[in-house]
Amino acid sequence: MENFNEGCELKEFQTLEGHSDRVWSLAWNPATGHSGIPYVFASCSGDKTVRIWEQNLSTGLWGCKAVLDETHTRTVRSCAWSPSGKLLATASFDATTAIWENVGGDFECVSTLEGHENEVKSVSWNASGSLLATCGRDKSVWIWEVQPGNEFECVSVLQGHTQDVKMVQWHPTMDILFSCSYDNSIKVWADEGDSDDWQCIQTLGESNNGHTSTVWALSFNTSGDKMFTCSDDLTLKLWETDSRRMQSGNEFAPWRHLCTLTGYHDRTIFSVHWSREGIIASGAADDCIRLFVENNESLVDGGPLYKLLLKKEKAHNMDINSVQWSPGEKRLLASASDDGTIKVWELLSL
Amino acid sequence: MVSGLINANPIIYEKKERRARPTPTFTDDGAAEPIDQQEIFDHIRDIKDPEHPYSLEELKVINEDAIEVDDQHSYVRVTFTPTVEHCSMATVIGLCLRVKLMRSLPSRYKVDIIVAPGSHSTEAAVNKQLNDKERVAAALENPNLLDMVDECLAPSFG
Amino acid sequence: MAKLDQLTRHIESYVDSSATPAQQVASMDAIGNLVKDNALTLEALVRELGMYLTTTDDIIRARGIHLLAEVLARIESKPLDIATVHSLITFFKDRLADWRALRGALVGCLAMIRRKSNVGVVTDSDAKAVAQSFLENLQVQSLGQHDRNLCFELLNALLELYSDAVSSLGEDLVYGICGAVDAEKDPECLMLAFHCVESLARLYPDPSGILANFAADIFEILESYFPIHFTHPGGGHIHVQREELSRALMSAFSSMPFLEPFVIPLLIEKLSSSLLSAKVDSLKYLKACSSKYGAERMANHARAIWSSLKDAISTYLEEPVFSFTSKPIVGVNFQKNEIVTEALSLLQLLIRQNSGLLVSLIIDDEDVNMVFNSIACHEKYNDIPVQGKQKLHVIGRILYVTAKTSFSSCNLVFQSLFSRMMDALGFSMREINSLPTDNMLPPTGVKFGFLYLCIELLSGCRDLIAVSEEQGLSCDFEHETFCNMLNHISSSLFSAFGSSLSSSADNHLDPDIYIGVKGLQILAMFPGDTFPITKLLFENILRKFMSVITEDFNKTILWKAALKALVHIGSFIHKFHESEKAKSYRSFVVEKIVELLSLDDTTMPFPLKLEALSDIGMTGVMHMLRVLQELEGTVFANLSMIFVHRNLRSSETVVQLLECFSDKLLPWIHENGCSEEPVVHFAVEIWSQIGICMGFSVPFEAKGLLGAIMKVMKLAVGYCSVESQNIIIKKAYDILSSHTSFQFKELEGSPLVPGQYDVSDRDKWVLSIFASAVIAVFPQTCIPNERIVLHLFIITLLRGVVSVAQALGSMINKMISKSEVTETSSDLTLEEAVDIVFNTKIYGKIFSQTYQGNDAVLTDLCLGVGTDTSLQINAICGLSWLGKGLLLRGHEKIKDVTMILLKCLSLGTKSALPLIQDSQEETCMKNLDPLVMKCAADAFHILLSDSEDCLNRKFHARIRPLYKQRFFSSMMPIFLQLISKSHSSTSRSALYRAFAHIISDTPLIVVLSEAKKLIPILLDCLSMLTEDIQDKDMLYGLLLVFSGILTERNGHEAVAENIRIIINGMIRLVEYSHKSLVRETAIQCLVAMSEMPHAQIYPMRSQVLKAISRALDDKKRAVRLEAVKCRQAWA
Amino acid sequence: MADIFDSSLNLEETHFKEGYDEGYKDGLITGKDESKQVGLKVGFEVGEELGFYRGCVNVWSSALHVDPNCFSSRVKISIKQMDELIEKYPVLDPENLQVQEIMDSLRLKFKMVCSSLHVKIDYDGYPKSSSDAKDIEF
């Protein structure tokens, strides 16, 4: 991969208005943005709606294609596309998770998953799209299996976190689930054997020089042997596992702390995302977007492994809740903010 | 939940006289008046305590000096002191403070609400919760809580 | 016969227990009337009632008796023969024993007892019998409230009307009444009960008689009621106020001197209670009692009372107000406090009763001595510890009261304490015969405390003397010790106060300066020319103060204090302005102050001189006259300085002098109704000065000067009577006609051809002053040669002399109209004047050399004949003042004026203007100049706004009530039409501007009535006004009207129809950057809108919230706070 | 000689002793019935909840009798596990340490079954009883 240096610019491409309350998160449709399919992403908000945005190929600008409302009765906290891009899962404070299917352009709610006692805060599809994970304030993580006919069956309820669970994320290649929580820890879950027997196989807590406050999000590199987590303790942490042992699959490869990016942020970091080319974006409550890249010099002298590529001051007028790199060729980054807007950025190297 | 009041008979303190500001002379209509301690205090002084008919000021839960404001960097920190060490109402009070400021301050502002050090048994926990915006957001969608908060924020008759 | 069964019907309906109270009263009245107008004799009635009165059925019997009683009560003034009276009273007396029928019996007895002697009255023996039966049969406290009330009424009646008869009952009576009163709770009954006790006391005055034996019991009964306070909620059904009841009890207490051993201790004890009302009551009671009980009895308690009085005063007396502005002029000033006041007046009473005893108590009091021995010796006020100050003030007050109460007390306190003070101050009272000398400085330094006490003492005896003089009781003070002492020590006192005064640097607290000045002031304010305070000393004091005035003007506090003191002395002395002292005041103060002006020392700041001058002047008419005279002199001296030597410094001086004259002196003269002669003289003199100066070249650039002169002229004339005004105007006209280059000859004919095209500055000068004189005259005042004056004004207003335009307006406003003219007078009528103004042709050349057209009249010029815009603007400005004159008096010609103005505003919309012939159609096509339109629009402001300069009550304008309302309602439709019709944006905005003026100058109520139609236009006006920063204040004014509409209840349904545009408009104004008040008000409007029906405003909600969230970050705090409220209201 | 005083000297002690004994007696009695009350309450609550689950399980199992394939295999397993857990619950041995653990996993399984069957059954007994407290938690 090419070597990023200073002389990059994060150019605002478009500002999307429409949500009447803070935008909590957004998700690019993985099946778009290449081979002439226009870019599509979904955003969800405190206004209880989900909006689908589609790029107009002629103007290159995004427009709101659909508003998914009157299903969730409270804030929609997060959304996730199935790998195929056919299904959209949305998690809401109303304790339900909704599954939407794109039928000829318009979306209909094909199923609602009930089980959490209260707010559902995050939802994630596994690589194959056969499993769905949700988590919430009830401290539990639920794993659902997709059945024929949009049926979803609860495979297992994972209890281990001592506080509400902020985010769940499947490993990009394997059926290992990661969850991070208000209890400052990250937990790794896997199915021991094949009898729906999901167990916590590792906890990355303060003892493993983990985070000292709420862990808000995590993101993997493409190969899946590295993971960044971001936290209320104002740090980003990089974790690593032995990829070969992991691929072999017959035994679990534990994760270990690699490095901590500290001193860059001065308010809570809500979101971190790792681009295909290895650029890590972070969005925080200080209204700034920051980009980090691997620091090649450091390999020789034991300097920091990662360095700040650029910092976008006042990227939004208020907190930034989510930053997501687009799929496809372009280096597009989308950010969602408390100011009710979504911005699409393009990373240009000068 | 403990039935009955957490702190049945709190101490009531004098209300501080509202400091009259020098009436701005309209000759310098252009001059800006940055948001300051007193202005913030005036926003929150009349918030009612969830379980008493008194204002937070009267209960000395807040006072002007415990407010830190930096208009240039759009930052406010309010430190409040629950009436009793184990006051389970601390979170609700904090919530009221946050909501009131959310409604009164420009959106550019970053607000931190914290319990005065050593004034509460589960200080850290309370602070963490009050400054987790996700949980605050969830709280404000809970009708019971919202009613309670609005009740406290209702403009005081006195 | 018919009557009889009628009667029976009434009786039955009354006795029938099922009848409603109303019916019963009705039948009672009916019967009463029957008896009253002799349609029925009592005998007949009684016969009819017979069985009812005697039946064994209690209820029937009770009603029967009650009926009879009520009837009697209704015929109290009907003559009855002795026999009837006797039998009736005997009957009721007996019924008193019949408790079931008691009500009737009581009412009956009362009715009989109250009969007046001329209509047949109860005999003494019968009355006594009633009393006996009462005492034997009635257990008052076992009865209901109403019956108890009756009982006390009866007792009172007996005690008052038959005192001799009942007095013989002696002990039984007293005992009975005590029993009746004991434990009474009801306020109304208590009132009566207390009164009984009081009358009882009157019955047995003997201090060792029957009543005295009951003293203990009576006290025991009454004691429990003091201090009166109502337990059950005040007001309500109770008709008795706490105060009345308390007063009743008080007179009960005070009516029995033999209660003294019981009452006084009780009161003293209650005096120390924590209940404030109790304290006040005890003081009042003590006062009442001591005056009734007399010196001898009170003497026993003097010591106790004294000490508790002292405590009371010490607890409630606040620190004195050390200032000269506040009352009283002589004594020391304290915050009013009921307890202190009561306590002091009680003390005064006691002293008057028994001065010897009280004063000795005071003298020997340990606090007094402490004050004298330690506290009073401190040099500066703030050296004294707080409690010390408190004590000092208390003792001071007490000394004051002691001194002012009576000669004897005054003498005593002087002999004892005053000499002690003097010793302390280092003046020996021993060599009492040594003649007073002025330069006798105190051997010791200043001692604040003693000086303070002196002040209190002096003001005390000063008041004593003053009062006794007013009462005209001719007592020769020569024989009063205190006067002699004072007289002998006075000069020492003088030097004591004087030194404290001179030693006080300005950094001192007020109190230190205060005592010095105050002391001297009091000394100076003793009545009498020679005794006790000699003229010589008086003059020394004045000198002292004057030296401060002339030298210590850098010590602001001291200076002001001294001046105030002089003022007080002045206004006091002015009362006897024939006296010697008055004379010396004039020569030592007034003259000196006056000199200050003329002598040209630059050391003393001129404003201070003026302040002194005016203040002293305002102490009395004579002084004022002198001051005026001098001021006048100075003004004219300086004027000639200016005119002759073009000396600008003296022009400043003149301006200040004139301002002082018009702002301070003139109003005073007016209010204190002293002769206007000097004012007239002053005004006339100014004119002669102008006449003189015209020879020279005046520095006309000195604008301030002209303004000042005009102002003075206006006010002077305005305050004068018609006659005087005539004089002034006459003079003015002479000067104008003789000393200016206006060719009055040419001004007679028409067309008007002014001698030269532009008026010289000098002439403008004179003209403006003349104009301001004209502005201020009464309608009756005659202006010579009015025709010419009018012409002159017309010409010159075209040159842009505003005051002339105003004068023209004023003249038109005050002209007598034909209808009013009584005798054929030479001067113009209104109609003629109007004709002149509107139809006099003006020679074409005046409005541009090149102009070839024919002559035009004023209105043509307004419409822009000729090419000269400034000329047109001047014409319009002139027209608008003219219009104001007409509008105020409600003359219909105003229509034409407004039409012309409208013409200037609106182009190509003639249809709306029936009144204007299209003769100048082509001309108005070319007067597109926006400046002209703006001027025409602002003309409406001139028309409707209240002006300070002219055409107001002060200057005797004729103002027709409600003229604004009328104008508004006549203009509104026209404007609505014009605006709707006008196509050019310029004229539209001009129309908006004019209309904005009208609306913001019209009372809100009127606008409200039209609100519905107005709102859309108002909004357009508002947005139009946002375009030019110049208009920000106008914008604000209009916005206020608008918010007025929104907040007004009956504005609402008008608002309802325009919600969307209103909200949008306001949202736009929230962004207005040039005036934060506008933003603030706009937000308030939005708040008001939030009260409209939710359904209607909901669609706008998000917009509003968005705008508001921006306003939350406004740079002005006030705006932010409004925004928060608004957000609350819309959230 | 001294024995006249003994009684008075030991006065406090004796008084104290008596007082103590009385207090102790009372304590025993009151303590007993209090704990009895508590026991009843808790016992009842637990019983109620267990009963509730038992009921549900029975219904479901009988449904399975009628049509063995009416539920997915996973659900069948869960139901079976619930059955076992209920059996396993040491009703007569409150001291047993497993109690809470079993109850928890019971509740969990129950929730899973419900959500898989898309049925909204809620046991609104004991655990939710303090709901008003939950209202102001966040």
Side-chain angles (χ1 to χ4, degrees), chain C residues 509-521:
Chain C
L509 280 169
D510 300 2
D512 301 314
I513 297 170
Y514 176 89
I515 47 161
V517 179
K518 194 75 175 180
L520 293 180
Q521 184 201 324

Side-chain angles (χ1 to χ4, degrees), chain D residues 38-126:
Chain D
V38 174
L40 266 172
K41 186 165 180 296
V42 176
F44 175 76
E45 284 166 352
V46 174
E48 188 189 15
E49 190 170 3
L50 279 178
F52 173 77
Y53 295 137
R54 161 57 64 206
C56 297
V57 171
N58 292 353
V59 174
W60 288 326
S61 328
S62 42
L64 281 170
H65 268 297
V66 181
D67 168 8
N69 307 332
C70 65
F71 301 143
S72 73
S73 52
R74 254 204 209 88
V75 175
K76 285 184 202 156
I77 297 169
S78 305
I79 294 175
K80 188 153 166 305
Q81 288 167 329
M82 278 186 78
D83 194 2
E84 293 159 5
L85 283 166
I86 297 170
E87 289 311 319
K88 188 144 125 257
Y89 192 96
V91 183
L92 300 179
D93 170 14
E95 308 288 298
N96 188 320
L97 299 169
Q98 285 185 297
V99 176
Q100 195 51 41
E101 180 190 329
I102 297 178
M103 187 52 92
D104 287 345
S105 33
L106 245 176
R107 290 180 188 146
L108 195 58
K109 288 288 171 196
F110 179 70
K111 267 200 272 175
M112 287 172 65
V113 177
C114 289
S115 78
S116 303
L117 299 182
H118 295 296
V119 289
K120 272 208 161 302
I121 316 172
D122 257 332
Y123 173 63
D124 49 9
Y126 160 62

Side-chain angles (χ1 to χ4, degrees), chain B residues 21 26 28-36 39 43 100 102-106 108 153 155, chain C residues 1032 1073-1077 1079-1080 1109 1112-1118 1120-1121 1124 1127-1128 1131:
Chain B
R21 294 181 180 274
F26 293 107
D28 63 347
D29 204 30
E33 300 162 342
I35 295 178
D36 61 11
E39 185 170 340
H43 283 317
K100 177 61 172 152
M102 249 166 41
R103 292 178 182 174
S104 311
L105 289 177
R108 64 184 162 89
L153 296 191
Chain C
K1032 61 183 180 183
S1073 54
H1074 305 305
K1075 196 170 175 66
S1076 61
L1077 275 173
R1079 301 199 292 277
E1080 206 177 325
S1109 68
L1112 281 176
D1113 205 3
D1114 193 282
K1115 63 181 196 280
K1116 285 293 174 192
R1117 184 168 291 108
R1120 292 196 293 263
L1121 297 186
V1124 172
R1127 202 182 178 294
Q1128 181 77 22

Side-chain angles (χ1 to χ4, degrees), chain A residues 291-305:
Chain A
L291 299 182
F292 300 90
V293 288
E294 194 161 0
N295 183 354
N296 309 54
E297 296 86 68
S298 72
L299 299 178
V300 275
D301 52 37
L305 293 171

Side-chain angles (χ1 to χ4, degrees), chain C residues 559-593:
Chain C
W559 192 85
K560 293 234 184 275
L563 182 54
K564 259 276 165 249
L566 279 175
V567 168
H568 288 323
I569 299 172
S571 26
F572 167 73
I573 219 72
H574 192 273
K575 286 200 222 78
F576 343 68
H577 45 68
E578 284 328 305
S579 69
E580 287 302 311
K581 284 185 177 175
K583 289 203 185 67
S584 29
Y585 185 84
R586 261 168 262 150
S587 49
F588 282 93
V589 179
V590 182
E591 287 309 323
K592 289 281 174 303
I593 293 276

Side-chain angles (χ1 to χ4, degrees), chain C residues 6-26:
Chain C
Q6 193 184 7
L7 172 63
T8 37
R9 217 176 333 101
H10 285 312
I11 295 175
E12 275 152 8
S13 82
Y14 177 84
V15 177
D16 167 13
S17 49
S18 67
T20 69
Q23 292 167 329
Q24 293 180 359
V25 174

Side-chain angles (χ1 to χ4, degrees), chain C residues 675-960:
Chain C
S675 88
E676 60 192 35
E677 185 277 326
V679 182
V680 180
H681 182 267
F682 187 82
V684 172
E685 262 315 297
I686 292 187
W687 277 110
S688 3
Q689 283 296 325
I690 294 172
I692 298 160
C693 81
M694 279 303 128
F696 310 95
S697 58
V698 180
F700 300 101
E701 62 274 21
K703 276 269 160 291
L705 183 56
L706 177 55
I709 298 184
M710 287 172 66
K711 188 173 175 192
V712 166
M713 190 50 68
K714 259 187 226 172
L715 292 173
V717 173
Y719 283 139
C720 284
S721 66
V722 176
E723 297 67 29
S724 322
Q725 289 185 347
N726 284 331
I727 300 170
I728 301 172
I729 293 292
K730 173 86 181 55
K731 175 76 176 178
Y733 183 79
D734 295 343
I735 300 295
L736 182 68
S737 50
S738 55
H739 290 71
T740 54
S741 44
F742 298 113
Q743 265 68 15
F744 279 44
K745 286 284 151 295
E746 297 180 357
L747 287 171
E748 275 156 16
S750 164
L752 293 172
V753 184
Q756 71 263 45
Y757 291 125
D758 40 20
V759 190
S760 76
D761 283 350
R762 195 183 63 176
D763 293 350
K764 268 195 193 145
W765 229 72
V766 185
L767 195 58
S768 314
I769 302 174
F770 179 74
S772 29
V774 171
I775 283 172
V777 296
F778 279 101
Q780 300 78 357
T781 309
C782 71
I783 296 163
N785 215 339
E786 283 173 312
R787 181 178 300 278
I788 298 240
V789 172
L790 286 179
H791 286 166
L792 179 58
F793 284 173
I794 295 173
I795 290 300
T796 43
L797 70 79
L798 292 177
R799 293 302 166 199
V801 186
V802 178
S803 55
V804 165
Q806 297 173 335
L808 190 54
S810 308
M811 279 178 79
I812 292 296
N813 173 263
K814 295 169 190 174
M815 288 275 182
I816 316 290
S817 95
K818 254 207 223 71
S819 53
E820 299 165 301
V821 173
T822 48
E823 80 292 346
T824 53
S825 61
S826 60
D827 41 6
L828 290 173
T829 65
L830 171 63
E831 290 70 16
E832 292 163 310
V834 169
D835 173 62
I836 292 173
V837 172
F838 286 94
N839 301 333
T840 312
K841 292 256 184 263
I842 301 163
Y843 178 48
K845 278 267 183 294
I846 190 178
F847 30 84
S848 77
Q849 271 73 349
T850 58
Y851 178 67
Q852 299 310 330
N854 42 11
D855 305 341
V857 298
L858 180 60
T859 52
D860 304 343
L861 296 177
C862 296
L863 292 167
V865 189
T867 52
D868 182 347
T869 343
S870 68
L871 184 70
Q872 187 181 5
I873 289 180
N874 291 341
I876 292 176
C877 166
L879 187 66
S880 45
W881 285 107
L882 202 58
K884 189 174 179 60
L886 293 163
L887 174 61
L888 284 182
R889 73 182 297 163
H891 190 280
E892 82 286 344
K893 190 72 178 165
I894 181 65
K895 289 208 192 65
D896 306 9
V897 175
T898 43
M899 284 312 152
I900 290 160
L901 292 175
L902 288 174
K903 193 78 180 168
C904 303
L905 291 176
S906 57
L907 302 163
T909 54
K910 49 194 169 311
S911 57
L913 306 168
L915 276 153
I916 293 184
Q917 288 64 34
D918 298 343
S919 56
Q920 303 91 355
E921 199 48 47
E922 75 292 339
T923 63
C924 74
M925 287 291 65
K926 58 176 159 25
N927 66 7
L928 266 159
D929 188 329
L931 273 177
V932 174
M933 298 175 113
K934 192 163 186 291
C935 170
D938 293 339
F940 285 90
H941 180 53
I942 296 182
L943 283 180
L944 277 183
S945 62
D946 307 318
S947 163
E948 259 307 295
D949 302 333
C950 63
L951 286 166
N952 51 36
R953 298 235 170 271
K954 197 161 69 217
F955 299 137
H956 319 299
R958 301 187 171 204
I959 300 177
R960 186 166 174 211

Side-chain angles (χ1 to χ4, degrees), chain D residues 16-31:
Chain D
F16 173 81
K17 186 87 178 66
E18 288 167 13
Y20 178 85
D21 296 344
E22 280 178 23
Y24 185 80
K25 243 192 255 101
D26 294 2
L28 275 180
I29 300 159
T30 46

